[in-house]
Amino acid sequence: MRVEAVTTESHFADALEVRFAVFVHEQGVSPEGERDELDDDPRTFHAVAYAEDGAPVGAGRLLAPHTDTAHGQGTPHGAMDPATPHIGRLAVTAAARGTGAGRALMEFLEAAALERHGAHGHVRVELSAQDQAMAFYERLGYTTYGDGYLDEGIWHHDAYKDVTA
């Protein structure tokens, strides 16, 4: 398996294919709720994971500070700090779950956060996690905080991790 930064339209199409398979078709999220303006923001960093045969099996994105207006204080979606980079839209196809694709994507996105937004070898990243995925994020060192909330009809909690070089 390999994880790559999305640098071409083809890579981006692969990432969206995974996200729509998981979030829209599997979990019932609306297509309009899944694809948003932050996907096209030049400050958003996208990643896609590929199986050995070249099939896309996972995707995720890193939002730059001060770009996520859908989450945080003053919204119905958690209390994340808008000044903190956010990891989101992490999705792994059903067939690839348990293979390490999710961990590989998170490590790749955390490294990108450190490189792009870190200072003195440190960056805090936050995410809005579906409650059913919280054990996964906790194994990766994330700490849950705040009250739960519904996003697209799915219960979520916010979590953070301090990433160091």
Side-chain angles (χ1 to χ4, degrees), residues 104-151:
L105 276 161
M106 286 300 294
E107 290 172 353
F108 192 81
L109 291 166
E110 290 169 356
L114 188 61
E115 179 183 321
R116 292 166 169 260
H117 308 294
H120 310 291
H122 171 268
V123 68
R124 175 168 285 194
V125 293
E126 294 182 333
L127 52 82
S128 171
Q130 293 181 8
D131 283 4
Q132 57 86 17
M134 281 311 305
F136 166 74
Y137 291 111
E138 288 169 352
R139 284 192 303 274
L140 296 178
Y142 283 81
T143 301
T144 305
Y145 68 94
D147 296 328
Y149 53 93
L150 281 172
D151 190 353

Side-chain angles (χ1 to χ4, degrees), residues 15-57:
L16 287 179
E17 176 185 326
V18 170
R19 286 172 39 187
F20 272 67
V22 172
F23 296 127
V24 176
H25 302 298
E26 188 178 322
Q27 296 181 344
V29 170
S30 70
E32 301 78 21
E34 176 49 34
R35 177 85 162 87
D36 64 20
E37 70 280 352
L38 292 172
D39 281 332
D40 300 317
D41 188 310
R43 298 166 291 180
T44 299
F45 178 84
H46 297 271
V48 63
Y50 292 97
E52 293 302 320
D53 66 1
V57 296

Side-chain angles (χ1 to χ4, degrees), residues 68-90:
D68 186 357
T69 59
H71 295 91
Q73 296 292 355
T75 75
H77 300 116
M80 287 193 291
D81 180 354
T84 302
H86 298 173
I87 292 176
R89 299 303 204 269
L90 189 78

